[in-house]
Amino acid sequence: MLRIRRFSNAVKQFPSYQETMLPEAYHAKEHAKGSTKMWLNINLFLVIPALAAVGYFTLPKELAHIHHLEEHPNEYVAWPHLRKRKNSFPWGNEALFHNPNSNAVPEE
């Protein structure tokens, strides 16, 4: 029991955090703590509600647009500057990032 008391007294003898740092560094640390809290509040109370509002207003229009594209897909137009290839790609005839939902395919 005596050893525990000696250890607890030794812990109390350490200087405080403020006393061990230079005054400029301590003030910078406190300023950073306040700035971090400010930016957290801006993100929580301004950015997240703004993103939710943008999503609320744009999601129905985007869903209607996707539905329209499913009903009327893009038609391929054979422009002379498109699809000029000497050799086919190793993975097939389509480009690497080909998306069949948005890129029209020529009829063969």
Side-chain angles (χ1 to χ4, degrees):
M1 189 81 147
L2 186 59
R3 289 185 183 178
I4 295 174
R5 286 186 184 173
R6 285 185 187 171
F7 181 72
S8 64
N9 289 339
V11 172
K12 291 180 183 177
Q13 293 174 359
F14 286 121
S16 69
Y17 198 57
Q18 183 177 2
E19 294 173 6
T20 58
M21 296 179 73
L22 292 172
E24 304 89 33
Y26 182 75
H27 292 302
K29 180 186 176 305
E30 292 299 315
H31 175 73
K33 191 185 299 183
S35 296
T36 303
K37 187 172 182 170
M38 177 191 69
W39 282 108
L40 177 67
N41 288 335
I42 286 173
N43 282 319
L44 289 177
F45 300 116
L46 185 70
V47 174
I48 293 175
L51 289 174
V54 167
Y56 178 77
F57 287 111
T58 59
L59 189 64
K61 294 177 185 175
E62 284 297 317
L63 291 176
H65 181 101
I66 291 171
H67 181 67
H68 176 76
L69 285 177
E70 288 173 354
E71 290 179 356
H72 307 286
N74 295 333
E75 295 180 9
Y76 180 75
V77 179
W79 298 103
H81 65 279
L82 294 178
R83 299 180 63 89
K84 287 185 176 180
R85 298 186 180 117
K86 286 184 182 178
N87 303 327
S88 62
F89 295 119
W91 53 84
N93 198 20
E94 302 300 333
L96 182 61
F97 299 107
H98 178 76
N99 184 352
N101 295 328
S102 60
N103 300 109
V105 179
E107 298 176 10
E108 296 177 10

